[in-house]
Amino acid sequence: MSPPAKSGFAVGRAVDWNLAATLGGKLVRPEPAATDYTRSQVIEQLTESARASELPVRELTGLNEGGEIPEARIVNRPQWIRAAAHSMRAMTGGGHDGDTKPGAISGRIAGAQTGAVLAFVSSGILGQYDPFSDGGGELLLVYPNVIAVERQLRVNPADFRMWVCLHEVTHRVQFRANPWLADHMTNALAVLTEDAADDVTQVVGRLAEYLRDRRSVAKGQEPEPNSAGVLGLLRAVQSEPQRKALDQLLVLGTLLEGHAEHVMDAVGPAVVPSVAAIRRRFDQRRERKQPPLQRLMRALLGIDAKMSQYTRGKAFVDDVVSRVGMQRFNAIWTDAESLPLPSEIDEPLRWIDRVL
């Protein structure tokens, strides 16, 4: 998968990605204590579970990505950080290692900031399908985080590992069965990260107007940081094409996550005996209130918006599939025009009327 082609400034070339990966690996939180036997066991089970999840996911979704079942890559937190930095470099126009050299000072500052963000995220992510990795896509499973969460939830380890794999393998099937999805993402990212053509005074004017509106709504009270507020601030300084691109990425993310959640619950009872207990405890964990600093970080990084994607996306997929069945639902993967509009995520009938 080649990086998005853009004219002018590419955000990927403004970051020292090697520094981001190196510093992120140094800042990462310590992994949960585990014996060599436990580490070996979880790596082996995740590898096998990722392989075993593929056929049930294909059968339920009707998305056939071909006969081959690719092997998942089982990684620790620093390895995930390095893989994520490499992927972000590619999808934001930074090329491959050694292709470009960012400005000495600005690039290192941006690299340090990116490394700190990756270190924060690395302790919570269970798995990720990376459609932008070398070779056309790779499924990563972060085994220390799987160990940490299954201990926290006190669930059957083998069942939980299979449950996680069902979700992540669904993402692999989505992208491999529909290669245009990765291009759709890169095109939207290219618009979102390009240098704004607007005059600086126009950007400042939009930001000032946004802040005035926020103060009017809050009536002098300081609102609690949340992802909706951060997204609103982001929109305030974006051009209209950038706002549209952001909407496209948010809707696609909501669909992909909701579809994976639907598959987890639909396939789960047949292959994960304790799926009901796992789902109940996992959802309780998602809803748990975080300390103020943690809430701020989650808002700034869009993690709360990600949680909303799971809920809203699953409700959309559940509703459409219950009405028209999975085969007709799969019209959603035809092309970019078949994807839901932002207004349709919470009103699935509007998508059915427009597309089906």
Side-chain angles (χ1 to χ4, degrees), residues 4 18 53 86 103 108 128 141 158 165 170 202-203 209 217 230 233 238-239 241 257 261 263 270 283 286 288 323 340:
N18 290 327
S53 297
H86 182 84
R108 290 181 67 81
Q128 172 189 0
L141 297 167
C165 287
T170 300
Q202 294 177 347
V203 174
E209 182 180 355
V217 171
V230 173
L233 182 61
Q238 287 179 325
S239 64
E257 296 299 348
E261 292 281 289
V263 172
D283 286 347
R286 280 178 177 169
R288 192 171 301 138
R323 293 176 185 272

Side-chain angles (χ1 to χ4, degrees), residues 25-307:
K26 293 179 178 178
L27 294 176
V28 70
R29 293 172 57 189
E31 297 176 351
T35 64
D36 290 342
Y37 173 79
T38 298
R39 283 191 290 268
S40 176
Q41 182 193 55
V42 69
I43 290 171
E44 181 180 342
Q45 285 191 343
L46 285 172
T47 301
E48 177 55 34
S49 294
R51 192 183 303 120
S53 297
E54 184 89 8
L55 294 181
V57 169
R58 291 186 194 180
E59 182 177 351
L60 177 80
T61 63
L63 300 176
N64 192 344
E65 50 154 307
E68 175 193 4
I69 299 179
E71 290 293 315
R73 182 180 164 204
I74 317 301
V75 297
N76 60 22
R77 291 172 182 172
Q79 289 169 334
W80 177 84
I81 289 172
R82 185 159 294 279
H86 182 84
S87 177
M88 291 173 68
R89 176 201 292 266
M91 67 181 175
T92 56
H96 298 286
D97 292 343
D99 286 353
T100 56
K101 293 186 180 300
I105 297 178
S106 62
R108 290 181 67 81
I109 292 174
Q113 293 171 332
T114 304
V117 168
L118 290 175
F120 179 85
V121 174
S122 70
S123 62
I125 190 165
L126 299 177
Q128 172 189 0
Y129 180 71
D130 176 11
F132 305 102
S133 68
D134 295 338
E138 184 176 45
L139 175 60
L140 304 173
L141 297 167
V142 190
Y143 75 86
N145 296 345
V146 173
I147 293 175
V149 174
E150 67 192 24
R151 288 177 178 173
Q152 182 184 34
L153 299 182
R154 297 182 180 180
V155 292
N156 180 286
D159 283 2
F160 183 73
R161 294 162 192 176
M162 173 63 83
W163 192 70
V164 169
C165 287
L166 285 173
H167 184 104
E168 303 306 336
V169 166
T170 300
H171 288 319
R172 179 168 67 187
V173 170
Q174 290 165 344
F175 278 94
R176 286 173 62 89
N178 305 287
W180 65 269
L181 286 172
D183 292 331
H184 180 67
M185 287 183 66
T186 57
N187 290 336
L189 281 166
V191 174
L192 194 60
T193 59
E194 69 187 352
D195 219 6
D198 292 343
D199 185 83
V200 173
T201 57
Q202 294 177 347
V203 174
V204 172
R206 289 203 301 269
L207 178 58
E209 182 180 355
Y210 169 81
L211 293 175
R212 282 196 300 271
D213 292 342
R214 290 287 289 175
R215 281 198 295 269
S216 298
V217 171
K219 296 182 179 179
Q221 295 181 350
E222 186 69 21
E224 182 177 339
N226 58 68
S227 292
V230 173
L231 288 173
L233 182 61
L234 184 60
R235 288 181 191 281
V237 296
Q238 287 179 325
S239 64
E240 188 57 36
Q242 288 175 321
R243 291 172 188 165
K244 183 178 179 181
L246 179 61
D247 283 340
Q248 289 174 341
L249 289 173
L250 290 173
V251 167
L252 179 59
T254 301
L255 171 64
L256 296 177
E257 296 299 348
H259 184 244
E261 292 281 289
H262 174 89
V263 172
M264 288 170 78
D265 285 353
V267 175
V271 296
V272 182
S274 59
V275 64
I278 292 174
R279 165 60 76 184
R280 183 177 65 256
R281 295 178 191 180
F282 197 78
D283 286 347
Q284 289 172 349
R285 175 179 178 268
R286 280 178 177 169
E287 296 167 2
R288 192 171 301 138
K289 194 170 181 63
Q290 302 286 335
L293 180 59
Q294 190 88 337
R295 291 203 305 274
L296 176 62
M297 286 295 294
R298 288 168 63 90
L300 292 175
L301 297 178
I303 294 174
D304 290 335
K306 181 82 167 178
M307 296 300 102

Side-chain angles (χ1 to χ4, degrees), residues 328-344:
R328 295 191 68 203
F329 168 84
N330 282 343
I332 210 165
W333 310 114
T334 304
D335 53 35
E337 298 301 316
S338 300
L339 295 175
L341 301 174
S343 60
E344 294 169 345

